[in-house]
Amino acid sequence: MAHTGKILVTGSGIDLTLLRPLEEAGNSIVARPKLLSPAELKAELRDAVAYLHGGEEYASGDALSTAESLKIVAFMGIGYESFVDVDAAKERGLRVTWTPARRPDAVAVFTLGQIIYANLGIRNRLDERYPPQWSAAVPMPSELSAQRVGIVGLGSIGSRLAGLLLTIGCEVSYYSRTRKLAETSLDLTYRTLPDLAAWSDILVVLLPETPSTVNIIDTSVFARMKEGSILINTARAALVEPVALGNALRDGTIAVAAIDGHYRDESVNAALMREFGPRLLWTAHVAAHTRQSMAAMVDQAVRSVLRALDNAPDENMAVGQ
């Protein structure tokens, strides 16, 4: 017999009508769209049977420690390891699920938009007088088709982005921890990360955040990049080491950096914005926030919750049995 009870839902942009299957199964939904503090999360989880994790909270061992009825943390996204204490979840016999079958178009197209915006220097042209005043200090931008784009991470999103860029006429190469089948179908060149950094005019980061990918773009990577390169990070801020990023912006290695998401230490965000604001295109991790993409992730998470409460198998289970 299925368990029922309170289901905590965190994160904004979630269409609550998509949660009706959970209510129809006899559960009550408690939605908390604003970021919960660690103490608030612990209090909310204390009497929850399931947690649909769509926000920026970290489900720590302490937050899970009093959640005696909790069966599952259904994470909406891929990089669950950075938002759930996996060891604590295993110790408590919890399932942790993810949403690997999300639609790639939302993030891929958003990333393409960032690339176009940064490459053409649109921000710097918004308030320009007519006719435009070009000078050696403000050179004309290059056409995107003349740029080499390196993609770090060739999953479904990276592959979709590569296809879009190839249609435009860009040269595209990639780095991934393992070689990908899309390398052949898209006729891409695989390069090591240092070689990709040296080759690229625009470097795009699309890996999930895991312990092994945090700070993957560091001083050694920036040291290989050309002066005036563009960095696009549509993954998580933590994949780019912030001190190294600041130095690369300061010495001109990076002309513009676009980041979709903030560092967890707000003082780091504030310091970077204070010094490099006009050269930072900073968005609040919204690349996947289209109606279609969010609906696909919510649907997967809802099905995972129902399966966990029914003790049924789930192909999207990352932790548990």
Side-chain angles (χ1 to χ4, degrees):
M1 182 175 178
H3 291 82
T4 58
K6 167 185 167 181
I7 297 178
L8 175 65
V9 179
T10 62
S12 61
I14 296 174
D15 181 353
L16 298 183
T17 65
L18 299 175
L19 305 180
R20 283 176 186 160
L22 299 176
E23 294 177 311
E24 291 169 355
N27 300 287
S28 60
I29 305 299
V30 175
R32 296 288 183 258
K34 293 184 179 180
L35 181 67
L36 297 177
S37 70
E40 289 171 333
L41 178 61
K42 183 176 182 178
E44 290 285 7
L45 288 176
R46 187 171 289 116
D47 58 347
V49 296
Y51 175 17
L52 197 158
H53 190 322
E56 297 292 312
E57 294 83 5
Y58 179 66
S60 65
D62 183 59
L64 299 173
S65 64
T66 58
E68 299 295 338
S69 301
L70 193 66
K71 304 296 180 185
I72 179 175
V73 179
F75 181 71
M76 284 179 50
I78 296 176
Y80 62 91
E81 293 169 292
S82 296
F83 292 87
V84 181
D85 186 328
V86 171
D87 290 336
K90 289 178 180 177
E91 185 177 330
R92 299 191 65 80
L94 298 178
R95 287 189 184 190
V96 178
T97 59
W98 61 329
T99 56
R102 63 180 181 172
R103 298 165 59 95
D105 267 22
V107 179
V109 173
F110 184 92
T111 304
L112 178 60
Q114 287 183 310
I115 291 170
I116 293 170
Y117 196 85
N119 183 67
L120 294 179
I122 291 174
R123 171 183 276 184
N124 298 328
R125 311 255 71 89
L126 291 177
D127 299 320
E128 190 163 54
R129 293 175 297 165
Y130 178 82
Q133 306 297 307
W134 298 103
S135 69
V138 186
M140 288 187 180
S142 293
E143 292 185 10
L144 185 54
S145 60
Q147 302 289 64
R148 292 173 164 180
V149 183
I151 300 176
V152 182
L154 199 70
S156 59
I157 295 169
S159 298
R160 178 64 172 137
L161 176 64
L164 294 171
L165 290 166
L166 290 168
T167 300
I168 291 170
C170 298
E171 288 186 72
V172 183
S173 291
Y174 85 101
Y175 163 76
S176 188
R177 291 162 291 180
T178 57
R179 302 287 282 266
K180 303 298 183 182
L181 293 175
E183 176 183 330
T184 301
S185 61
L186 293 170
D187 194 22
L188 302 179
T189 300
Y190 173 87
R191 301 177 190 273
T192 65
L193 182 54
D195 287 346
L196 187 69
W199 176 87
S200 302
D201 301 303
I202 302 170
L203 190 68
V204 183
V205 184
L206 284 172
L207 291 169
E209 181 188 343
T210 68
S212 65
T213 62
V214 169
N215 294 335
I216 191 171
I217 308 300
D218 59 10
T219 299
S220 68
V221 175
F222 286 121
R224 299 295 302 274
M225 296 178 74
K226 306 170 187 175
E227 182 178 355
S229 295
I230 293 171
L231 177 70
I232 308 290
N233 178 7
T234 328
R236 290 280 179 176
L239 272 66
V240 179
E241 204 285 310
V243 173
L245 173 60
N247 290 335
L249 286 161
R250 196 172 295 115
D251 67 21
T253 299
I254 299 299
V256 180
I259 306 171
D260 185 38
H262 286 193
Y263 291 97
R264 290 184 176 87
D265 183 345
E266 284 298 330
S267 67
V268 171
N269 304 315
L272 287 169
M273 286 299 294
R274 186 166 53 249
E275 185 172 357
F276 307 108
R279 295 163 58 201
L280 283 172
L281 309 179
W282 221 323
T283 49
H285 205 62
V286 295
H289 284 210
T290 64
R291 285 176 291 178
Q292 293 80 7
S293 178
M294 289 294 289
M297 288 193 286
V298 171
D299 178 65
Q300 290 177 75
V302 165
R303 284 188 280 114
S304 287
V305 168
L306 290 173
R307 288 168 182 160
L309 297 182
D310 201 30
N311 202 31
D314 187 349
E315 70 276 11
N316 292 335
M317 187 160 53
V319 174
Q321 296 180 351

